[in-house]
Amino acid sequence: MFLFKIDDYIMYGMTGVCKVIDITNEKFANGEKREYYVLSPVYSKYPKKTVIKIPVDNKKISMRTLLSKEDVLSLINDIPNMDTSWIDNEKLRSEQFKKILRGGKCEELIKLVRSIDNNREYVKSIGKKTHQADDNIMKEAERLLNEEFATILDISPNEVSSYISSHIPQ
C-alpha cells in the first residue's frame, strides 16, 4: 500500500519539496525485495540530475503530503495570533530548533521563524547581534516554508515572503 503515487509532490525531510517520479522494486543480493519511491527535489540546483531513492516503509526521514491551499491560507491568516517563545540556553534552543526543522510542520516552522525574528529585533535594540546558529536555522526554516508554499500557491519561492505580507490581516 503506497502512501504516495507517481507525480505527487511531497515534503521530504530537510530536502524540501520533491516530486515522486517513480515507484520501483529493488532486489538485493540476499534475494530480499523492497519498494522505493524515486524522488526528484523540485528546487534543487540540479533537478534533472538529483534523484533520491527512499524505501516506501522508511521511518527515519519524515515524508508527508503538501498542505492544501486552504491550509496554507489559513496558516497565513493565523500568523499574527501564533505564540512565540524563546529559550535563553543556546544549547537547548539549538536542539529544540533542529527538532522543529526535522519535524517539518509548517505551523511550528512559522513560530520558529517568528521567535528568531522577534529575538533579532530585541537583540538589535540593545546593540547586539544574533547568534549565527539562529540565523542559519531561520534561513533553513524559511527555505522549507517558501518551497512548500510556493509549490501550493504556484509562485516562486522568493515571492512567498511578499505574498504572506500582503495577505496577513492587519
Side-chain angles (χ1 to χ4, degrees), residues 105-134:
K105 290 190 172 81
C106 289
E107 185 172 350
E108 296 303 312
L109 291 172
I110 292 169
K111 289 177 184 178
L112 180 145
V113 168
R114 290 191 67 221
S115 296
I116 294 173
D117 200 45
N118 288 346
N119 182 66
R120 180 185 279 159
E121 287 178 26
Y122 166 72
V123 168
K124 191 175 164 188
S125 76
I126 59 171
K128 294 186 176 183
K129 286 187 173 182
T130 56
H131 290 283
Q132 186 65 44
D134 294 331

Side-chain angles (χ1 to χ4, degrees), residues 32-123:
E32 180 189 348
K33 276 186 180 178
R34 276 182 95 178
E35 293 176 309
Y36 284 81
Y37 291 118
V38 181
L39 308 177
S40 174
V42 173
Y43 296 100
S44 163
K45 289 178 185 158
Y46 313 102
K48 300 282 187 249
K49 293 180 183 172
T50 307
V51 173
I52 300 165
K53 282 188 178 181
I54 187 77
V56 168
D57 60 358
N58 150 63
K59 300 274 186 270
K60 288 188 179 142
I61 299 174
S62 72
M63 292 190 292
R64 64 171 176 80
T65 55
L66 299 184
L67 296 177
S68 68
K69 187 169 184 176
E70 293 74 27
D71 288 339
V72 168
L73 296 176
S74 175
L75 270 175
I76 291 170
N77 205 35
D78 287 346
I79 288 174
N81 307 317
M82 288 183 190
D83 292 331
T84 61
S85 61
W86 190 254
I87 301 167
D88 286 324
N89 181 308
E90 198 176 331
K91 188 175 188 289
L92 291 175
R93 182 174 68 247
S94 178
E95 286 171 12
Q96 183 63 29
F97 284 175
K98 287 176 182 173
K99 185 177 172 187
I100 291 169
L101 276 178
R102 284 190 305 273
K105 290 190 172 81
C106 289
E107 185 172 350
E108 296 303 312
L109 291 172
I110 292 169
K111 289 177 184 178
L112 180 145
V113 168
R114 290 191 67 221
S115 296
I116 294 173
D117 200 45
N118 288 346
N119 182 66
R120 180 185 279 159
E121 287 178 26
Y122 166 72
V123 168

